[in-house]
Structure formats: C-alpha cells, structure tokens
Amino acid sequence: MADSIAERRTKAWEPYIHAKLGFRNHWYPVLLASEIAEQTPVPVKLLSEKILVNRIDGNLFAIKDRCLHRGVTLSDRIECHSKHTISCWYHGWTYRWDSGKLVDIMTNPSSVQIGRHAIRTYPVIEAKGLVFVYVGDGEPSDLAEDVPPGFLDADRAIFGKHRLVEANWRIGAENGFDAGHVFIHKDSILVKGNDIALPLGFAPGDPDQLTRAEVAAGSPKGVYDLLGEHSIPVFEGKIEGEVALMGNMGSKRVATSISIWLPGVLKVDPWPDPALTQFEWYVPVDETHHLYFQTLGKIVHSDEEERAFEREFHEKWVDLALNGFNDDDVMARTSMEPFYANDRGWTEEILFESDRAIIEWRRLASQHNRGIQQEANL
Amino acid sequence: MADSIAERRTKAWEPYIHAKLGFRNHWYPVLLASEIAEQTPVPVKLLSEKILVNRIDGNLFAIKDRCLHRGVTLSDRIECHSKHTISCWYHGWTYRWDSGKLVDIMTNPSSVQIGRHAIRTYPVIEAKGLVFVYVGDGEPSDLAEDVPPGFLDADRAIFGKHRLVEANWRIGAENGFDAGHVFIHKDSILVKGNDIALPLGFAPGDPDQLTRAEVAAGSPKGVYDLLGEHSIPVFEGKIEGEVALMGNMGSKRVATSISIWLPGVLKVDPWPDPALTQFEWYVPVDETHHLYFQTLGKIVHSDEEERAFEREFHEKWVDLALNGFNDDDVMARTSMEPFYANDRGWTEEILFESDRAIIEWRRLASQHNRGIQQEANL
Amino acid sequence: MADSIAERRTKAWEPYIHAKLGFRNHWYPVLLASEIAEQTPVPVKLLSEKILVNRIDGNLFAIKDRCLHRGVTLSDRIECHSKHTISCWYHGWTYRWDSGKLVDIMTNPSSVQIGRHAIRTYPVIEAKGLVFVYVGDGEPSDLAEDVPPGFLDADRAIFGKHRLVEANWRIGAENGFDAGHVFIHKDSILVKGNDIALPLGFAPGDPDQLTRAEVAAGSPKGVYDLLGEHSIPVFEGKIEGEVALMGNMGSKRVATSISIWLPGVLKVDPWPDPALTQFEWYVPVDETHHLYFQTLGKIVHSDEEERAFEREFHEKWVDLALNGFNDDDVMARTSMEPFYANDRGWTEEILFESDRAIIEWRRLASQHNRGIQQEANL
C-alpha cells in the first residue's frame, strides 16, 4: 500500500524525473552582466549545451560553442577578426554573432558551404544585472514569465553571485524550497548574530492549506510554501520526551513568504533581513551540476540608495548569507545527490508533512514546464 | 578440450564468481575496538553498504548510514542530541541506535511517520579487540563459525591493523591463500633477517593430497593447503637446466599450516615467527576494494606476557611483517585486479598444480557461503 | 538530401569508423632505438595491447606484457633470471623472449604446464633508429609497405621524438593530413622566423584533381593531397568583403608534397626546411590516445653530414618545429576529440572542399587496411 502510494505519486511527477538535464524553452541566468565585457566572449554551459556569449556595442549575443565543420570548441582559442563575427581558429569558418550565419571561410573564400549553414544562436538578454539565455525552439517566452513576481520591479535593485554545485539542479531546487530544512541552519552565524527568529522546524496543520500554486496564463508559474502560516513553529526539539535542542528565539521575523517558480528559481521574502528579498536559481549545467545563482533584491528610491545597498551587499551579505548561511545548503545538496543520481531516490525516499511543498513543486513543474531537454538535443 | 575443462571448472565455482560484492550473512571485522570510542560514531563500508558504528556505555551499535527521508549520509555531519539516538542533520529525523526506530522528528514532533519506520540496524560485536559487523537477514550466525579455529581461544592475545587495498576481496583471498606465491617474497627482509626457511616454490605430489576441506555443520568452513607436506620444496630455481636463483635456506620452519575460512579469512600457523599465528581478512568493501585486516595471535599466560607481546607487535612485527613482508602481497593484488575486473580472468587464467588449493577454496566458498550480496540489496 | 549524401559517404568509410583501436597486421613505431638498451625491457602499449620490448645481444624481442597464469603485468616487477628469458615475479613462470614458450616454472619445475603454453610474441624490428612492432596474425608484411616512400632510403638520416596525445589516432591522422588547417599555424614562430610562405588556406579548383591515391600491390598504400597544386593559395583573409587577416608572404616554399600512408603515417616534403622531410605517425595506443611519433629525415652523404644533421635536429628543429609548430596540431586534436568520441562526429560533421583529401584517406584506409583491431583481440 505504501508502495502503491509512492507509485501513484511518482506518476504525477514523471516529467520532472525525466528532466535531469533541465527544461527547454525557458530563460536561465548564466552570468552577471558585469562579467561580460565588450567584445570579450565568455563560454558557459546550460542544459548541457556549450554556449559562447559576447557583447557587441553593448548588445548581447550567444551562439553554440562548437564549429559546424569538425566540431571543435570555438572558445578553445577565440578569434574574432571582425567586430560582428567569430572565426573558428582551426579552418577560419566565420560566423556572424547575430544570425549565426556562416558568412565566410577564411581558408577558402569560394567554398560552396558559405551562406548555406548557420551555427545555432540563442536568445540572450540582460535584466537586473544578470545575463539570461534561452535554450529552446521557436520564439522565446517573455522573461517576466520565467522569474518570480517582483524580481523585475523597476525600483528593485539586484546584486548577486554564482557558483557551481556538484548536484543535479532538482536537488538544488528541492533543498532551497524546503522550509523544513531550517534545522540545518540552527548554528548559523547569520541567524544568531542577526537576531533572527528561527525555529527547528514546523508542525503542519491542515495539509490542504500548506501550499498555493500560481498557474495563471501569461504569468510566472510557481508554488508558495505556506508552512510558516499554517503550522506551529517548533522551538523545542524533543527526543523521547526530553528537550534536546532549542531553536533561535530572535526578534526578527523573516522568510515569511517562500515560493518557487519555473524553471527553478526561489523567492524568499524577506531574507536575510526584513528589508531584503533573496531570489536564487538552480541552473541546470549538466546531469550532476547546477549553477547556484544567488541574488538579493532591495527596493531603493535613488541611485544613492542603490549604491549604499551595493556596498552593503558586498561588505555584509555575501559573506554572511550567500556564502556562510547558504554553504550549509550546498553541503546538503552534495550529500543528497548520490541517493537520487541513479533515480532510485525518487521512489525510495520517505517524505513527511513539510515535504508537501516539494511534492506540489514537482507536480507543477511536471505540468507547466515548456519542454524537457534530451540527450538528442545536444 | 582445454576450454571445456575450463568451463566445467568455472561452473563449480559460479556462485563465487558472482560474489563480487562479498557474502551476506557472515561476520566481518571492520575496525579495531580501540578505534571506536564512547559515543563517537565511525562510518565504515562493508559489502558496499555504508554503515555507522557507535559505542554507548561500552556496547556497540551499527545502523545504515543513510537517512530514510531524503537519503543523505548521516555521518556527513554527526548529530547525536541524546545518548541513545542519532538525528539526521538535515531535518532532525531521529533514530535509536539499538532498534533503528524513528522515534522522533525534531522538525515536526507530530509527524505521522514517527514510529512507523526504522533505519536498518546491523548486528555488531567485539571480540579479540576487533569489531565485527554482520550484513544479513534474520538471526546472525555464531561468530565462532566465521573465524578460523583457534582465533577465539581464551589464552590467545590478538593485535592487528588494517588498510584499504585496490582489488576485489577474492583477489585478496587468493593471493593470501596461495602457497605457491612464496616466490614473490624471496627478497623479503623478514625472511632473510629472521633466518626463515623459504623455498622458491613447491613441486607437488599426489594432487588428491594437496588440500583438506573442513565443512562440519556448526563449525568454521575452510580449506587447508597441504602443499608444504605433500610436495618437494624447491630451493634451486632452474631455467633451461641452469640454476638461476636460490631460495632462502634458513633454520626456522614456519607457515607449516595454511588454511582459509569463510567468509574470507586466512590462518597461517606459525607465522611470522614460530610462536605466532597470522589471521587476516579480505573484507569486501566494494567491487574494487577490500579492507585488508591483518592480525597476529600469540598464546599468553599472563597480562604481563600479553603486554610484552603487544610491545613486540608494535615495535617489530608491524613494520617487518604486516607492512614490509605483506606489502609484496598488496602489490600482487593490485597487479592481478585488472585481469579479473571484467570477469574474463576467471575463464582465461591458466592454473597449475599449486593452485589446487585455490580451486578447492572457490568450490567450498561456492557451496558453503550463506548468501551473495547483490546490487539490489544496497 | 544532405543527409543521404552524408550516409552514402559514411558507408564508404565504415571500416575506418570501426577502427577505433587501430589496424592489425601493420607495423607501427613504438620507441626510439636509443630508448631500449641491452637487456632492459621497456613496456609499451599498441592497439590497446600491453607489450614488453627487450634487446638481447642487440636483437629486439617483444612479448605480451601479461603472465598466462594469473594475468599480472610482467613489467610491474621485471625479473630476468637468465639472458634469454623473463620470469613472472609472482610465481616464476618463465618465458623465452624469442618464442614466448613457457620453458620453466621456477616454483614448480615438474609442472605439466611447462612446454605446453607460449606467451604471445610480436614481430619487432629496428629501422632508421625506430623500433617497429607488428600486432597481427600470421607472417608480418614487409616494413617497406607500411612506411611512406623514401623513408627507408639508405642515404636518408632520420631523427625523431614521440609524445602521447589525448585523442584517437584517426583524429591525429586527419589533423596531420589536412592541408586546409594551415590557418592554425598563422602565428607560428617557425613560419615567421624561417621566412616560410604560408597562405591562410586554399581555394581548390577541380575536385577530381585534388588527390592522387597510390594502391599498387606490394607498395605502400597512400593518398597525396594535391591542394597546393590545384588551388589558389589564399593570402588575404576576407570577412564580409573586408581584408581581416594576412597569410605569411615568405620566400621559402615548403610542404609542396603532402601524403598519408597506411597504417597512419604522414609525409610532408619538404618540411620544415627545403632540405628536410617530416615523417610522422599517429600510433593507436587506446581508444582515446595516440602516440604522436615525429621524425625528420635528410639526405646525407657522409657520417659527418649525418652528425651535423643530428645536432641541428636537437638544437633547432625539436623546439621550433616538432614542439613549437606542432603543438598547435596537438591542441587541435584534443579539441576535436570529444565531437568524435561517441562516433556522432562522423555523421554530424560538415566537410568542405579542402577536406577532399581526408575523405580519400578514409576511403583508402577502409579498403586497404589489413584488419581492424577488436576488443576481442585484447
């Protein structure tokens, strides 16, 4: 009976289980805008595709980082002999950044191949200081549908950083969205030093009130974890009747609203301080790695406020929150990875009440993603 | 014809060939008792299972080192918030060391999962200063059936050490039990410095007298290699009629009785000195590693004698015998490993007379083991 | 339609695609003669076979580097207890270097196995300062059929070096034979410093005149790349109508004749100087490595001239040509390797006019090789 429930559940999130390489037809951040200078291509990897991003006259372009001819990696030796093109270092096959078109072959200007082929291009845009790339087919969706509500607000300043984590992107997403895992942060300097109220966990009430999905057409699709509202926070950790551990009884209430959005981006509001919001992505790099793209947002009313927040971000929050606090999460992901790596984890796991939000996320992602990246796409 | 013989032989030890991960339902040593202090869990790996061993009030306990919830490794961050339990660092799932029972979930004390599940526990005992763990099903066998005769004798003091070797456990066992491999030790300092008589090899006589199997019910199951008794020791190594090499003509006779016992433990008596006996295990860790667990035993008649032997063990025998001499064996195992790693070795090997004992061991192990560890068990 | 052409083409070189491990029944260089001293066995790997080469009284011998008994690697601890034999360090199985015959077992001089088995031997010869080994079945072919015309000429002095490259041997061969890849060498110090005329590439004329195959019975089988003769050299590299890059307008004409020969050896004549010829092999080591065996030849009329060339080789050409210049080629091979590693590259590549020589080479190699090395041969 337990098994048949597990099976029935798994069926509801089967597409999610197949999405090992990530979802196609969505926008993902791959770089900070500040990391890509004028006419200085940067290689990235997204959904297992090697992509080369460039900036020309301020505009961004992205092409597949593999020559059509013999398959070498263009970025192994970058050669841009004109402003609008890149030439393969091996035989001079020359592609336009905008169209991907093979406009010349420098070793044979009369080749019949010229003009007949184009290297793959990817839609790429800059928003809020991040570079977003779209791996997909046909016209890209609106970026506003692929980020959490509020992220693009005009008065919200965003600063961020990213790092590569050795775990599948779904493991990253489930760790991030899992409100029940506050337990892992109980000794965090951020929590203790910043006077944050952080229980050990939550005793949930009515299971039907624990999540709220947002799936309106034309809007971001996501799930809210309502554990904080519909449960009793657990500050006394008991073992066999004895209190064995205490949560942090701080005065600041944070993380009152936690939600996750397709294609895999979390919003924690407010966090790590009452005036801030954390938005973070678990960008699929390959089967066993995701790019953990962490940002903090703050409503600002002037350039001066924005610069002040920028300083605060770099001087305080990077070390205390995005590294220190979230390092625990990174550790949890790499520890969870082996159990799910061969897909046994999805059926052998034993979930409990506070995992309801994760189950809801798996369902929503299974139903509302715009396509699953396959080996054959590479 | 040669092939059909090989095939017929291989059939007789087919279960052994399948026992890549080791035999279930047997006791194996995994640690020295001195390596596991009070309330200080130590992770080990046995038959490819990750196991966490702890000592509470002097008693030993062992549980599977993987949380039931999301599959993380408990020992990645050990958290014991009460004496008799361990809590998963991720969500506070709390298990009793004795029963494995999920007695509490610190992040949700009202969870329905509490009391409904138990993490796997393993029988674990301490004997002769070693910690033995039993990976199996049902009631464990008697330890006395899984160690060589005499090992548990009350007046025998045992001291030992262990190291990880990059070779399957069967490769370890066959190297250890192979009396014909004395050849590899011909330049050993132990042999030359300790005046040991060590031939280059043996010219066996009647093949039916080369081994003696012990398979009585309720007793250890093993094979004696009688090569030393029923063969002519070879001290002159000849090549094409010329003497090319000489064995060591020492005065001490050692290793007169060599035997191997299920689940893979060797007894060499006496060794490395007339008053000592070597017992050594080839403990299956995973497909390509075994824990080489080496011990020496000596009959002692007082605590004082035992302490004297302990000093002698550490000051003399570790370096000279368990390291120096046996280092050659470790090298032989890692060199043999690739030939057997893809299972081709079992049919392509060409055995000779002194391998009769190995063949007998393969047969006995195939018939008398209590189960074969499978991937599906993990 | 493009696909059906690709398919038709691929069919013509199917055997070549299967020759991942190299061609059997051919001679390959594995060492410099100077690297193998009297009675000092040296292990090599060729066509995925581990081979041990020795020199006795000046003559070369080669045997499989794996004992028949338990499959250990003989060279893990070389023991030659008589001049004409090698003994396995494990149990003293002793093989003659000339016949491979198991002539003795030092640990059991009366074993029935003695005289009944032989370890595999390989034909091995020394020519032009190189050691050639033949992995095959039956009588070896004449070395003269497996080297480019002229290589064995009596008045040609040869000096060389070798290095291991992380790319399949075919990737090495196609990089070497590819005249169109001059583009990669445009910034080479050799080209600029030695006043060599080096265009960026070639605009080929009549495709039927671009190659000439040599397949006469009893002679080396190879293909000449006639790109230099039947095309217009491209010195002005244009992109979208603008000159973006220039080739090197030196006065020395070199590389006027480029050809590749079975089993995978290139002749570039003259190169890197008008008086020299480069012969280089892409020796299959395993699926993902080849031994890049580079030699230069020069016609000499006296010992003095030969010694002068030897000095010139070591003082000038090793650094400038065989390292400096050819380092670019090594880099190109390792960059091409992943695209072909899973065999997708052979059907997904898009070739152009100057690749005609490569196609012709694939066809010739498919038709005229003497056998394909298989896993089962190992």
Side-chain angles (χ1 to χ4, degrees):
Chain A
M1 168 105 173
D3 277 350
S4 79
I5 289 176
E7 246 173 64
R8 217 172 344 121
R9 273 183 173 167
T10 311
K11 213 159 179 64
W13 58 67
E14 218 168 63
Y16 181 80
I17 293 176
H18 293 149
K20 209 182 273 279
L21 301 181
F23 292 131
R24 286 175 75 77
N25 305 308
H26 286 277
W27 290 101
Y28 289 98
V30 294
L31 290 170
L32 295 173
S34 60
E35 290 172 316
I36 177 135
E38 179 71 17
Q39 294 177 52
T40 311
V42 179
V44 300
K45 201 170 185 182
L46 177 59
L47 280 71
S48 287
E49 301 196 21
K50 290 169 84 173
I51 296 171
L52 195 49
V53 184
N54 197 14
R55 186 190 293 279
I56 301 168
D57 293 336
N59 300 312
L60 293 172
F61 299 92
I63 62 173
K64 192 169 188 85
D65 189 8
R66 192 171 74 191
C67 184
L68 294 174
H69 177 213
R70 303 299 307 266
V72 299
T73 302
L74 297 173
S75 62
D76 277 354
R77 198 181 282 182
I78 285 171
E79 296 198 11
C80 295
H81 297 294
S82 86
K83 185 172 172 181
H84 296 285
T85 62
I86 182 168
S87 299
C88 178
W89 48 265
Y90 202 0
H91 300 84
W93 288 39
T94 300
Y95 307 94
R96 274 193 71 94
W97 283 99
D98 53 8
S99 62
K101 206 163 173 182
L102 176 65
V103 288
D104 277 296
I105 297 181
M106 296 182 82
T107 56
N108 180 8
S110 56
S111 174
V112 300
Q113 303 291 21
I114 295 169
R116 286 178 54 182
H117 304 279
I119 206 165
R120 165 144 209 206
T121 60
Y122 299 84
V124 52
I125 47 177
E126 185 173 334
K128 293 291 177 187
L130 274 54
V131 174
F132 289 85
V133 169
Y134 185 89
V135 173
D137 320 289
E139 271 305 290
S141 55
D142 192 347
L143 175 64
E145 282 189 46
D146 280 356
V147 296
F151 176 74
L152 297 174
D153 284 356
D155 55 356
R156 192 183 303 268
I158 298 282
F159 295 99
K161 70 182 287 285
H162 53 75
R163 48 176 151 166
L164 194 67
V165 175
E166 281 193 55
N168 186 268
W169 74 273
R170 295 164 303 181
I171 299 304
E174 300 196 354
N175 158 264
F177 187 44
D178 170 13
H181 87 287
V182 287
F183 191 75
I184 199 183
H185 297 299
K186 59 191 173 299
D187 297 319
S188 164
I189 292 169
L190 169 63
V191 171
K192 304 210 160 168
N194 203 19
D195 191 28
I196 288 175
L198 194 83
L200 296 174
F202 303 91
D206 181 353
D208 293 337
Q209 298 195 336
L210 290 179
T211 62
R212 187 179 75 240
E214 301 275 350
V215 296
S219 296
K221 313 286 184 294
V223 186
Y224 284 88
D225 184 343
L226 307 181
L227 195 63
E229 296 158 55
H230 298 280
S231 66
I232 302 163
V234 177
F235 280 92
E236 287 193 340
K238 289 188 181 170
I239 296 179
E240 298 186 297
E242 302 282 319
V243 174
L245 202 63
M246 292 294 294
N248 203 58
M249 311 286 283
S251 68
K252 287 191 192 167
R253 284 209 64 199
V254 288
T256 50
S257 172
I258 300 175
S259 54
I260 193 166
W261 304 86
L262 275 171
V265 41
L266 188 77
K267 179 180 180 181
V268 186
D269 191 25
W271 186 263
D273 212 52
L276 305 178
T277 307
Q278 184 155 338
F279 301 89
E280 62 177 36
W281 281 258
Y282 318 98
V283 183
V285 171
D286 59 28
E287 278 196 24
T288 53
H289 293 85
H290 67 275
L291 186 73
Y292 182 30
F293 212 119
Q294 305 166 271
T295 69
L296 295 182
K298 183 177 190 176
I299 303 296
V300 293
H301 306 93
S302 66
D303 282 1
E304 207 161 68
E305 276 186 40
E306 177 162 353
R307 281 195 305 274
F309 173 46
E310 186 174 10
R311 276 195 305 275
E312 186 188 329
F313 175 83
H314 288 294
E315 288 168 13
K316 179 168 183 182
W317 300 118
V318 167
D319 275 356
L320 196 58
L322 305 191
N323 291 341
F325 184 86
N326 289 135
D327 281 352
D328 288 332
D329 295 305
V330 167
M331 175 270 185
R333 296 172 204 172
T334 57
S335 185
M336 229 192 317
E337 173 68 16
F339 188 57
Y340 290 86
N342 63 3
D343 285 342
R344 277 175 71 166
W346 307 109
T347 51
E348 294 186 6
E349 63 186 8
I350 297 177
L351 301 182
F352 76 137
E353 292 80 357
S354 76
D355 291 319
R356 188 157 287 262
I358 287 171
I359 292 176
E360 195 54 36
W361 153 246
R362 291 178 184 177
R363 278 193 195 130
L364 179 135
S366 292
Q367 287 168 29
H368 296 280
N369 76 79
R370 303 195 195 102
I372 290 170
Q373 177 78 333
Q374 310 285 353
E375 275 293 330
N377 294 131
L378 306 185
Chain B
M1 169 106 170
D3 277 350
S4 79
I5 289 174
E7 246 174 65
R8 216 172 344 120
R9 273 184 175 167
T10 310
K11 213 159 180 62
W13 60 67
E14 218 169 63
Y16 182 80
I17 293 176
H18 293 148
K20 210 183 272 280
L21 301 181
F23 292 132
R24 286 174 75 77
N25 305 308
H26 286 277
W27 290 101
Y28 290 98
V30 295
L31 289 169
L32 294 172
S34 59
E35 290 171 317
I36 176 135
E38 179 69 18
Q39 294 177 53
T40 312
V42 178
V44 299
K45 201 171 186 183
L46 176 59
L47 281 71
S48 287
E49 302 196 20
K50 290 169 86 175
I51 296 171
L52 196 49
V53 184
N54 196 13
R55 186 190 293 279
I56 301 168
D57 293 335
N59 301 312
L60 293 172
F61 299 92
I63 61 172
K64 192 168 189 84
D65 190 7
R66 193 172 72 192
C67 183
L68 294 174
H69 176 214
R70 303 298 307 263
V72 299
T73 302
L74 297 173
S75 63
D76 278 355
R77 199 182 282 183
I78 285 172
E79 295 198 11
C80 295
H81 296 295
S82 86
K83 185 172 172 181
H84 296 286
T85 62
I86 183 168
S87 299
C88 179
W89 48 266
Y90 202 0
H91 299 85
W93 287 40
T94 299
Y95 307 94
R96 275 192 71 93
W97 281 100
D98 53 8
S99 61
K101 207 162 172 183
L102 176 66
V103 287
D104 277 295
I105 298 181
M106 296 182 82
T107 57
N108 180 8
S110 55
S111 174
V112 299
Q113 302 293 21
I114 295 169
R116 285 178 55 182
H117 304 279
I119 205 165
R120 169 148 205 202
T121 60
Y122 300 84
V124 52
I125 48 177
E126 186 174 335
K128 292 292 177 187
L130 275 55
V131 175
F132 289 84
V133 169
Y134 185 89
V135 173
D137 321 288
E139 271 305 289
S141 55
D142 191 347
L143 175 64
E145 282 188 47
D146 279 356
V147 296
F151 176 75
L152 297 174
D153 285 355
D155 55 354
R156 193 182 304 268
I158 298 282
F159 296 99
K161 69 184 288 284
H162 53 74
R163 48 176 152 167
L164 195 67
V165 176
E166 281 193 55
N168 186 268
W169 74 273
R170 296 163 302 179
I171 299 305
E174 300 197 353
N175 157 264
F177 187 45
D178 170 14
H181 87 288
V182 287
F183 191 75
I184 199 182
H185 297 299
K186 59 189 173 299
D187 297 318
S188 162
I189 291 169
L190 168 65
V191 171
K192 302 211 160 168
N194 203 20
D195 192 27
I196 287 175
L198 194 84
L200 296 174
F202 303 91
D206 180 354
D208 293 339
Q209 298 195 335
L210 290 179
T211 61
R212 188 181 75 241
E214 301 275 350
V215 295
S219 297
K221 313 286 185 295
V223 186
Y224 284 87
D225 184 343
L226 307 180
L227 195 63
E229 298 158 54
H230 298 279
S231 66
I232 302 162
V234 178
F235 280 93
E236 287 193 338
K238 289 188 180 170
I239 296 178
E240 298 186 297
E242 301 283 319
V243 174
L245 202 62
M246 291 294 294
N248 202 57
M249 310 286 282
S251 69
K252 287 192 193 166
R253 285 209 65 201
V254 288
T256 49
S257 173
I258 300 174
S259 53
I260 193 167
W261 304 85
L262 275 171
V265 41
L266 188 77
K267 178 181 182 180
V268 186
D269 190 25
W271 186 264
D273 211 52
L276 305 177
T277 307
Q278 184 156 338
F279 300 89
E280 62 177 37
W281 280 259
Y282 319 99
V283 183
V285 171
D286 60 26
E287 279 197 24
T288 53
H289 294 85
H290 68 276
L291 186 73
Y292 182 29
F293 212 118
Q294 305 167 272
T295 69
L296 295 182
K298 184 177 189 175
I299 303 297
V300 294
H301 306 93
S302 66
D303 282 2
E304 206 161 70
E305 275 186 42
E306 179 162 352
R307 283 195 304 274
F309 172 46
E310 187 174 9
R311 276 195 305 276
E312 186 188 329
F313 174 83
H314 288 295
E315 287 167 13
K316 180 169 183 180
W317 298 117
V318 167
D319 275 356
L320 197 59
L322 305 191
N323 292 341
F325 184 87
N326 288 134
D327 282 352
D328 288 332
D329 295 304
V330 167
M331 176 269 185
R333 296 172 204 172
T334 56
S335 184
M336 230 193 317
E337 173 68 15
F339 188 57
Y340 290 87
N342 63 3
D343 285 343
R344 276 174 72 166
W346 308 109
T347 51
E348 294 185 7
E349 63 185 8
I350 296 177
L351 301 181
F352 76 138
E353 290 80 357
S354 75
D355 291 319
R356 187 158 287 263
I358 287 171
I359 292 177
E360 195 54 37
W361 152 246
R362 290 178 184 176
R363 277 194 194 129
L364 179 136
S366 292
Q367 287 169 28
H368 296 279
N369 75 79
R370 302 196 195 100
I372 290 171
Q373 177 79 331
Q374 310 286 354
E375 276 293 330
N377 295 130
L378 306 184
Chain C
M1 168 106 173
D3 277 351
S4 78
I5 288 174
E7 247 173 65
R8 217 169 347 118
R9 272 183 175 166
T10 310
K11 211 158 182 63
W13 60 65
E14 218 168 64
Y16 181 80
I17 293 176
H18 294 148
K20 208 182 274 276
L21 301 181
F23 292 131
R24 286 174 74 78
N25 305 308
H26 286 277
W27 290 100
Y28 290 98
V30 293
L31 290 169
L32 295 173
S34 60
E35 290 171 316
I36 177 134
E38 180 70 17
Q39 294 177 51
T40 311
V42 178
V44 300
K45 201 170 185 183
L46 177 58
L47 280 70
S48 287
E49 303 197 19
K50 291 169 84 175
I51 296 171
L52 195 49
V53 184
N54 196 14
R55 186 189 294 278
I56 301 168
D57 294 336
N59 301 312
L60 293 172
F61 298 92
I63 62 174
K64 192 169 189 86
D65 190 7
R66 192 172 73 192
C67 183
L68 295 174
H69 177 213
R70 303 298 307 263
V72 299
T73 302
L74 297 173
S75 63
D76 278 355
R77 197 182 283 182
I78 285 171
E79 295 198 11
C80 295
H81 297 294
S82 86
K83 185 171 172 181
H84 297 286
T85 62
I86 183 168
S87 299
C88 179
W89 48 266
Y90 201 0
H91 300 84
W93 287 40
T94 299
Y95 307 94
R96 275 195 70 93
W97 283 100
D98 52 8
S99 61
K101 206 163 171 182
L102 176 65
V103 288
D104 278 295
I105 296 180
M106 296 182 82
T107 57
N108 179 8
S110 56
S111 174
V112 299
Q113 302 292 21
I114 295 170
R116 286 177 56 181
H117 304 280
I119 206 166
R120 168 147 207 202
T121 61
Y122 300 84
V124 52
I125 48 178
E126 185 173 335
K128 293 291 177 188
L130 274 57
V131 174
F132 289 85
V133 169
Y134 185 89
V135 173
D137 320 289
E139 271 305 290
S141 55
D142 192 347
L143 174 65
E145 283 189 45
D146 279 356
V147 295
F151 176 74
L152 296 174
D153 285 355
D155 56 354
R156 193 182 304 266
I158 298 282
F159 296 99
K161 70 183 287 286
H162 53 76
R163 48 176 152 167
L164 195 66
V165 176
E166 281 193 54
N168 186 266
W169 74 273
R170 296 164 302 181
I171 299 305
E174 300 196 354
N175 158 264
F177 187 44
D178 169 13
H181 86 287
V182 288
F183 190 76
I184 199 183
H185 297 299
K186 58 191 174 298
D187 297 319
S188 163
I189 291 169
L190 169 63
V191 170
K192 304 210 161 169
N194 202 19
D195 192 28
I196 287 174
L198 194 83
L200 296 175
F202 303 91
D206 180 353
D208 293 338
Q209 298 195 335
L210 289 179
T211 61
R212 188 179 76 240
E214 302 274 350
V215 296
S219 296
K221 312 287 185 294
V223 186
Y224 284 88
D225 185 343
L226 307 180
L227 194 64
E229 296 159 56
H230 298 280
S231 67
I232 302 163
V234 178
F235 281 92
E236 287 193 339
K238 290 187 179 169
I239 296 178
E240 299 186 294
E242 301 283 319
V243 174
L245 202 63
M246 291 294 293
N248 202 56
M249 311 286 282
S251 69
K252 286 190 192 168
R253 286 210 61 201
V254 288
T256 50
S257 173
I258 300 174
S259 54
I260 194 166
W261 304 85
L262 275 171
V265 41
L266 188 78
K267 178 180 181 181
V268 186
D269 191 24
W271 185 262
D273 211 53
L276 305 178
T277 307
Q278 185 156 338
F279 301 89
E280 62 177 36
W281 280 258
Y282 318 99
V283 182
V285 171
D286 60 26
E287 278 196 25
T288 53
H289 292 87
H290 68 275
L291 187 72
Y292 182 28
F293 212 119
Q294 304 166 273
T295 69
L296 295 182
K298 183 177 190 177
I299 303 297
V300 294
H301 306 93
S302 67
D303 282 2
E304 207 161 68
E305 276 187 38
E306 179 163 351
R307 282 194 303 275
F309 173 47
E310 186 174 8
R311 277 194 303 278
E312 187 188 329
F313 174 83
H314 289 294
E315 288 168 12
K316 180 168 182 181
W317 299 118
V318 166
D319 275 356
L320 196 58
L322 305 191
N323 291 341
F325 184 86
N326 289 134
D327 281 353
D328 288 331
D329 295 304
V330 167
M331 175 269 185
R333 296 173 203 171
T334 55
S335 184
M336 230 192 317
E337 173 68 16
F339 187 57
Y340 290 87
N342 62 2
D343 286 342
R344 278 175 72 166
W346 307 109
T347 51
E348 294 185 6
E349 62 185 8
I350 297 178
L351 301 181
F352 76 137
E353 291 81 356
S354 75
D355 291 319
R356 188 157 286 262
I358 287 172
I359 292 176
E360 194 56 35
W361 153 246
R362 291 177 183 177
R363 277 193 195 130
L364 179 136
S366 292
Q367 288 168 28
H368 295 280
N369 75 78
R370 301 195 195 103
I372 290 171
Q373 177 79 334
Q374 310 285 355
E375 274 293 331
N377 294 132
L378 305 185

